[in-house]
C-alpha cells in the first residue's frame, strides 16, 4: 500500500464514519491512471512530476526477462550489474545512491532492510502489468529512501468473468532456461492471479582471470487477490516469494604476509573464486477498503511485511548471513468534493497514519537490532478549470533511532488549452536513514558499523515541458532537474592487512543536476519509435569548501533509441534498440592504478521479433549485445557478451 498519513485528519474522518484512500491499484480502471503519484491516483496528463510508465506491452515488445534491463531505457536512471543476469544489480535515479530510491511491488516496500536498497537481480518481468517510475524527492509520501524517486512495480490482476492460463518457455545461450505459468481470472465478486517462474543460467566468468562461470538460479512465486465482501467493502492481498542462488567472484584483498603485509599481485582485482549468495525474499500485504457517499469518502486499513534472509558462502562453507524484516501498518482516508462555482474545481483531501518496525540480525551479532517509526501525512489534490492541476503534501516522521524529520512535496501541471503543450514542475525534500549495515556492520573483519550516523537530507526541484507535434504522433518531454544532498554517508577504508571499512557522514554537499529527454513517435503503418537521453552532472564533496569529485558509476551522457515494426495485422513484429552509456568514473583499489579510473563508453544493440500463430501460441526470439561489445559497468567485472534466446508463449 502506498505509504501515507496524518493523525488529525485520520481521527476526524474516522469519527465521521468515513473512509480513507483505497489500494489505488485495486480500483484503477483507467489505463492511463498514474497510481504512484501521491496518496491518490491521478491521470498521467494531470501529474506535475517527472515520470515514466512502462506497460506490459512495452515489456513484451522488448522481450527482456530482467526488470533492470528495461529500466535502462528510462531517462534519469543508471544501472550497474555485478556480472551476469541475476547478479547483484543497483539502480540509481538522477545520480543518487541506490538506497535513495524506494522500490515497491504492488505498493509494498521491498527494499532490503539491511542495505536499505533493492537488488534488482532478483526481479523478473513475469506477471508485470506496468512499472511506474517517479523521479525527484518523494519522501513526503513514502518516507525514508524515497529521497530521489520511486519505482513501483504493479503485477497483473485477474480479469473477472472467467479464468485463463498463460505459460512461457525459453532457452538460450549460457545454459539459460526459463519457464513460467500463471493462472488468473475471477467471478463477479472476486479476482485472483497466481504465477510461478523459474530461471536458471550457467552465466559466464565475471572475473577477467580464469574460466569458472558464475551462474544464477531464481524461483519466484507471485499472487494477488481482491474480494468484494459487500458493496463498497473490498478485501485484497498480495504475496511474493523469491528463492535464488547467485554465484559471484570476489575482489581480492590478500597480502603476501608478514612482516610488511605487502599486497599480492592481484590485489584489488576481481579473481575467480567459489562464492555464492543464497537469498530468500518474502513480501506480502493485506488490506481492507471501504467506499461510501458514492465514492466521495474512502478509507483503507493495510498491513504489509517484508523479510529478506541472506547467506554468503565461500568454498561451500557459510561465511556470513543476515536476516532483516519490515512490518508496516497504515490507515489512510480521503474525501473528494467539487466546487463548480469556484474555478470549476475538484478537490481531494487525504490524511493518515503509518507505523513501521524494522529489524536486523547479522551473523556476527547475537541480539536482533530494531527501530520503530510513526508517520503522519496530509495531501491535497486539486483540479481547476479543466487545465490546472496541483498536488501538495507534508509528512512528519517520528524516529526512535534518529532525529525526527519533516518533508514536503509540491507539484503542478498546466495543460495549455487548444494546444498539445503541457507544463509540469515539482519541488520537494527527501531523507534517507542510515541502513542497518551502516549502523551495525555485517563482518567485523571487513566492515565496522557506525551507530552515530545521522540521516541524509536533500531538496530538489524539476521543471519541464511536454510538447506534441504532428497531431500528437510525436510527443517530446524535456525536463531540467536540480537536487542537493547533505550528510551524505560514505565509506572510508582502513589500513592493511584487513582494509576494514566504516561509514561516516561527509561534511560537504553533493550536487546533482541535468536534463532528461523522452520521446515517442508513431510513424504509422505499424512503425513506431521511442528514445531517451540524460545529461547528468553529479558531484560529491567530502569537506565543505573542498574539491569536488564526480560521483562514481553515473555516466554524464546516457540514452536509448528503439524502433518497432508490427505487420501481418499485428501478428508479427520486429524490434531493435540501442542502449548508450557514456564514460563514467569508478573506484579502484589496485596499488598500481589511481584511486579512480575511467570506464569507457559503450553501446549495446538488441534485436528481436515475434510471430503469433493463432490465438493460443506465439513464438519469439531476441539477440542481446548483437555486436558482442566488450565493456564494464563496474570496474573489474566483465559485462555480458552476445547472447541469443528463443521462446514460446501460450494462453488458454
Amino acid at each position: 500500500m502506498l505509504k501515507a498519513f496524518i493523525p488529525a485528519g485520520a481521527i476526524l474522518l474516522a469519527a465521521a464514519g468515513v473512509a480513507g484512500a483505497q489500494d489505488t491499484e485495486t480500483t484503477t480502471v483507467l489505463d492511463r491512471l498514474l497510481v504512484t503519484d501521491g496518496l491518490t491516483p491521478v491521470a498521467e496528463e494531470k501529474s506535475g512530476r517527472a515520470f515514466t510508465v512502462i506497460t506490459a506491452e512495452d515489456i513484451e515488445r522488448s522481450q527482456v526477462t530482467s526488470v533492470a534491463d528495461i529500466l535502462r531505457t528510462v531517462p534519469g536512471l543508471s544501472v550497474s550489474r555485478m556480472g551476469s543476469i541475476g547478479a547483484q544489480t543497483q539502480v540509481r535515479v538522477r545520480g543518487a545512491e541506490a538506497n535513495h530510491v524506494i522500490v515497491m511491488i504492488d505498493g509494498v516496500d521491498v527494499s532490503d532492510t539491511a542495505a536499505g536498497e533493492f537488488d534488482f537481480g532478483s526481479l523478473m518481468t513475469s506477471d508485470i502489468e506496468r512499472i511506474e517510475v517517479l523521479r525527484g524527492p518523494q519522501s513526503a509520501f513514502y518516507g525514508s529512501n524515497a529521497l530521489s524517486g520511486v519505482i513501483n512495480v504493479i503485477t497483473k490482476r485477474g480479469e473477472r468473468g472467467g479464468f485463463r492460463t498463460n505459460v512461457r518457455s525459453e532457452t538460450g545461450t549460457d545454459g539459460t532456461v526459463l519457464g513460467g505459468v500463471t493462472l488468473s481470472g475471477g467471478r463477479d465478486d472476486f479476482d485472483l492471479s497466481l504465477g510461478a517462474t523459474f530461471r536458471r543460467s550457467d552465466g559466464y566468468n565475471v572475473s577477467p582471470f580464469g574460466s569458472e562461470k558464475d551462474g544464477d538460479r531464481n524461483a519466484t512465486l507471485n499472487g494477488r487477490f481482491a474480494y468484494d465482501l459487500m458493496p463498497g467493502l473490498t478485501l485484497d492481498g498480495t504475496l511474493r516469494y523469491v528463492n535464488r542462488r547467485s554465484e559471484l567472484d570476489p575482489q581480492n584483498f590478500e597480502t603476501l604476509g608478514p612482516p610488511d603485509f605487502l599486497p599480492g599481485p592481484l590485489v584489488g582485482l576481481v579473481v575467480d573464486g567459489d562464492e555464492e549468495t543464497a537469498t530468500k525474499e518474502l513480501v506480502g500485504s493485506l488490506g481492507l477498503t471501504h467506499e461510501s457517499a458514492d465514492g466521495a469518502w474512502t478509507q483503507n486499513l493495510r498491513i504489509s511485511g517484508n523479510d529478506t534472509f541472506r547467506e554468503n558462502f565461500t568454498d561451500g562453507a557459510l561465511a556470513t548471513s543476515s536476516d532483516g524484516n519490515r512490518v508496516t501498518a497504515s490507515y489512510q482516508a480521503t474525501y473528494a468534493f467539487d466546487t463548480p462555482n469556484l474555478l470549476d474545481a475538484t478537490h481531494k483531501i487525504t490524511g493518515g497514519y503509518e507505523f513501521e518496525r524494522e529489524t536486523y540480525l547479522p551473523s556476527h551479532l547475537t541480539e536482533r537490532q530494531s527501530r520503530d517509526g510513526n508517520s503522519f501525512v496530509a495531501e491535497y489534490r486539486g483540479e481547476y478549470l479543466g487545465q490546472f492541476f496541483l498536488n501538495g503534501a507534508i509528512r512528519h516522521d517520528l524516529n526512535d533511532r534518529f532525529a525526527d524529520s519533516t518533508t514536503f512535496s509540491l507539484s503542478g501541471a498546466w495543460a495549455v488549452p487548444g494546444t498539445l503543450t503541457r507544463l509540469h514542475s515539482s519541488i520537494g525534500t527527501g531523507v534517507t536513514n542510515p541502513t542497518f549495515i551502516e549502523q551495525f556492520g555485517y563482518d567485523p573483519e571487513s566492515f565496522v558499523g557506525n551507530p552515530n550516523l545521522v540521516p541524509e537530507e536533500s531538496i530538489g526541484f524539476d521543471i519541464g515541458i511536454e510538447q506534441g507535434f504532428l497531431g500528437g504522433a510525436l510527443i517530446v518531454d524535456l525536463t531540467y532537474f536540480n537536487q542537493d544532498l547533505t550528510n551524505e554517508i560514505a565509506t572510508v577504508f582502513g589500513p592493511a592487512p584487513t582494509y576494514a571499512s566504516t561509514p561516516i557522514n561527509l561534511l560537504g554537499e553533493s550536487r546533482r543536476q541535468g536534463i532528461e529527454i523522452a520521446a515517442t513517435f508513431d510513424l504509422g503503418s505499424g512503425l513506431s519509435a521511442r528514445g531517451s537521453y540524460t545529461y547528468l552532472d553529479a558531484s560529491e564533496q567530502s569537506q565543505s569548501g573542498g574539491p569536488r569529485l564526480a560521483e562514481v558509476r553515473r555516466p554524464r551522457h546516457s540514452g536509448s533509441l528503439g524502433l518497432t515494426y508490427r505487420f501481418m495485422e499485428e501478428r508479427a513484429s520486429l524490434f531493435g534498440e540501442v542502449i548508450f552509456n557514456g564514460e563514467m568514473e569508478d573506484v579502484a583499489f589496485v596499488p598500481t592504478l589511481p584511486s579512480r579510473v575511467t570506464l569507457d563508453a559503450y553501446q549495446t544493440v538488441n534485436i528481436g521479433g515475434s510471430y503469433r500463430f493463432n490465438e493460443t501460441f506465439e513464438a519469439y526470439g531476441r539477440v542481446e549485445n548483437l555486436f558482442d561489445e566488450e565493456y564494464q559497468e563496474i570496474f573489474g567485472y566483465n559485462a555480458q557478451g552476445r547472447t541469443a534466446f528463443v521462446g514460446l508463449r501460450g494462453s488458454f
Side-chain angles (χ1 to χ4, degrees):
M1 174 60 191
L2 302 180
K3 291 188 175 180
F5 316 148
I6 190 162
I11 295 172
L12 289 174
L13 293 176
V18 298
Q22 58 209 54
D23 178 347
T24 52
E25 217 285 320
T26 300
T27 59
T28 296
V29 294
L30 299 177
D31 291 338
R32 292 181 56 82
L33 206 62
L34 190 65
V35 304
T36 311
D37 182 9
L39 306 181
T40 55
V42 64
E44 293 179 14
E45 63 271 15
K46 298 178 182 179
S47 173
R49 295 182 173 84
F51 68 89
T52 298
V53 175
I54 301 171
T55 65
E57 291 74 19
D58 295 327
I59 295 173
E60 184 174 317
R61 181 204 67 241
S62 67
Q63 299 179 12
V64 297
T65 60
S66 170
V67 168
D69 285 337
I70 200 165
L71 291 179
R72 297 177 189 274
T73 65
V74 177
L77 269 59
S78 306
V79 179
S80 303
R81 187 165 68 197
M82 194 176 289
S84 58
I85 190 169
Q88 181 179 352
T89 307
Q90 294 180 312
V91 174
R92 296 177 173 87
V93 178
R94 290 181 170 176
E97 298 295 342
N99 67 320
H100 291 169
V101 56
I102 193 169
V103 180
M104 301 184 298
I105 298 180
D106 294 325
V108 180
D109 184 358
V110 294
S111 303
D112 183 352
T113 56
E117 65 184 63
F118 179 70
D119 179 4
F120 277 88
S122 71
L123 187 56
M124 296 184 284
T125 57
S126 303
D127 301 324
I128 291 179
E129 179 63 30
R130 57 194 272 135
I131 304 170
E132 298 182 349
V133 181
L134 267 70
R135 300 180 291 278
Q138 309 293 329
S139 287
F141 303 110
Y142 302 101
S144 176
N145 292 60
L147 183 147
S148 68
V150 181
I151 300 175
N152 189 19
V153 177
I154 301 169
T155 62
K156 293 180 178 179
R157 289 182 54 183
E159 296 184 6
R160 300 188 177 188
F163 286 87
R164 197 167 191 84
T165 301
N166 295 289
V167 296
R168 178 181 181 182
S169 180
E170 179 180 302
T171 186
T173 51
D174 293 336
T176 301
V177 295
L178 181 146
V181 58
T182 301
L183 172 66
S184 63
R187 301 300 184 194
D188 292 340
D189 59 350
F190 79 94
D191 59 77
L192 64 84
S193 177
L194 299 171
T197 304
F198 174 78
R199 182 188 66 200
R200 187 204 69 200
S201 175
D202 294 337
Y204 62 92
N205 188 24
V206 172
S207 168
F209 309 98
S211 59
E212 179 241 5
K213 293 183 177 181
D214 303 294
D216 176 79
R217 296 183 298 279
N218 183 315
T220 298
L221 304 176
N222 193 76
R224 63 179 304 175
F225 79 93
Y227 176 53
D228 299 335
L229 300 174
M230 62 179 66
L233 185 63
T234 300
L235 177 71
D236 69 272
T238 66
L239 187 65
R240 176 180 177 84
Y241 175 72
V242 180
N243 190 330
R244 57 189 287 233
R245 196 174 185 96
S246 304
E247 299 172 349
L248 66 155
D249 286 331
Q251 207 169 359
N252 176 40
F253 288 110
E254 292 183 357
T255 64
L256 295 179
D260 298 320
F261 292 102
L262 297 175
L266 298 179
V267 69
L269 298 175
V270 179
V271 297
D272 263 353
D274 182 12
E275 294 200 357
E276 287 185 309
T277 297
T279 306
K280 295 178 181 178
E281 304 171 17
L282 181 63
V283 181
S285 68
L286 193 64
L288 191 64
T289 301
H290 179 252
E291 293 186 0
S292 60
D294 294 326
W297 293 98
T298 59
Q299 76 175 6
N300 178 268
L301 296 173
R302 181 162 300 272
I303 185 168
S304 63
N306 171 18
D307 184 89
T308 302
F309 178 67
R310 182 171 287 113
E311 294 178 306
N312 301 305
F313 297 89
T314 300
D315 297 327
L318 179 64
T320 61
S321 67
S322 66
D323 182 30
N325 62 66
R326 176 186 302 108
V327 176
T328 305
S330 63
Y331 168 81
Q332 181 174 303
T334 298
Y335 175 58
F337 62 98
D338 302 332
T339 56
N341 296 324
L342 180 62
L343 300 177
D344 190 22
T346 63
H347 315 268
K348 283 186 178 179
I349 300 175
T350 301
Y353 163 77
E354 177 186 280
F355 169 78
E356 181 176 85
R357 164 162 288 186
E358 296 179 312
T359 70
Y360 171 61
L361 179 61
S363 53
H364 74 279
L365 298 180
T366 58
E367 181 180 353
R368 182 177 291 270
Q369 304 296 321
S370 66
R371 60 193 189 196
D372 296 341
N374 293 273
S375 304
F376 308 94
V377 110
E379 179 196 53
Y380 169 77
R381 188 183 298 281
E383 303 179 13
Y384 310 92
L385 302 174
Q387 57 181 293
F388 298 103
F389 312 99
L390 180 68
N391 179 244
I394 187 168
R395 178 188 182 103
H396 186 64
D397 294 315
L398 302 173
N399 303 304
D400 67 341
R401 291 274 187 167
F402 316 104
D404 301 340
S405 63
T406 300
T407 52
F408 77 90
S409 178
L410 181 66
S411 69
W414 178 30
V416 182
T419 72
L420 296 175
T421 303
R422 187 177 69 91
L423 305 178
H424 58 86
S425 183
S426 68
I427 185 171
T429 53
V431 295
T432 292
N433 293 334
T435 69
F436 275 109
I437 287 180
E438 290 168 340
Q439 282 185 288
F440 304 107
Y442 62 85
D443 184 350
E445 295 184 357
S446 62
F447 192 96
V448 180
N450 181 357
N452 298 316
L453 293 170
V454 300
E456 299 170 302
E457 299 180 350
S458 177
I459 183 170
F461 72 91
D462 56 41
I463 183 169
I465 179 172
E466 179 185 276
Q467 180 64 55
F469 303 91
L470 304 175
L474 172 62
I475 303 293
V476 179
D477 191 296
L478 172 66
T479 302
Y480 168 78
F481 64 87
N482 188 298
Q483 187 168 352
D484 68 6
L485 178 69
T486 56
N487 298 328
E488 180 176 6
I489 298 175
T491 300
V492 293
F493 294 86
T498 64
Y499 299 99
S501 58
T502 189
I504 62 171
N505 287 107
L506 299 181
L507 300 178
E509 179 185 60
S510 294
R511 297 174 183 169
R512 295 88 184 254
Q513 64 174 341
I515 296 174
E516 299 163 343
I517 303 175
T520 59
F521 195 5
D522 185 355
L523 298 166
S525 301
L527 191 63
S528 61
R530 66 200 178 281
S532 67
Y533 168 76
T534 303
Y535 168 77
L536 173 66
D537 178 14
S539 63
E540 64 180 356
Q541 187 183 52
S542 298
Q543 299 289 335
S544 179
R548 292 199 159 273
L549 296 174
E551 296 272 20
V552 300
R553 301 176 189 172
R554 284 85 151 172
R556 185 174 289 266
H557 304 279
S558 61
S560 68
L561 181 64
L563 194 66
T564 301
Y565 178 49
R566 300 184 184 276
F567 56 101
M568 296 182 64
E569 298 180 340
E570 297 197 354
R571 291 174 57 190
S573 69
L574 296 172
F575 80 89
E577 67 179 8
V578 180
I579 307 294
F580 167 74
N581 196 95
E583 287 185 352
M584 56 185 179
E585 293 189 10
D586 203 356
V587 293
F589 302 102
V590 181
T592 57
L593 294 176
S595 59
R596 287 187 171 225
V597 295
T598 299
L599 303 182
D600 292 336
Y602 64 87
Q603 307 84 36
T604 58
V605 178
N606 307 318
I607 62 172
S610 64
Y611 179 75
R612 181 173 293 279
F613 300 104
N614 48 45
E615 294 299 318
T616 301
F617 291 107
E618 179 182 35
Y620 63 91
R622 72 183 184 278
V623 178
E624 300 177 1
N625 195 2
L626 176 65
F627 299 109
D628 203 22
E629 177 91 353
E630 294 185 6
Y631 63 97
Q632 290 185 348
E633 294 180 348
I634 300 175
F635 173 71
Y637 289 85
N638 288 332
Q640 183 77 61
R642 179 171 49 240
T643 54
F645 306 88
V646 294
L648 185 67
R649 285 188 285 257
S651 182
F652 309 90

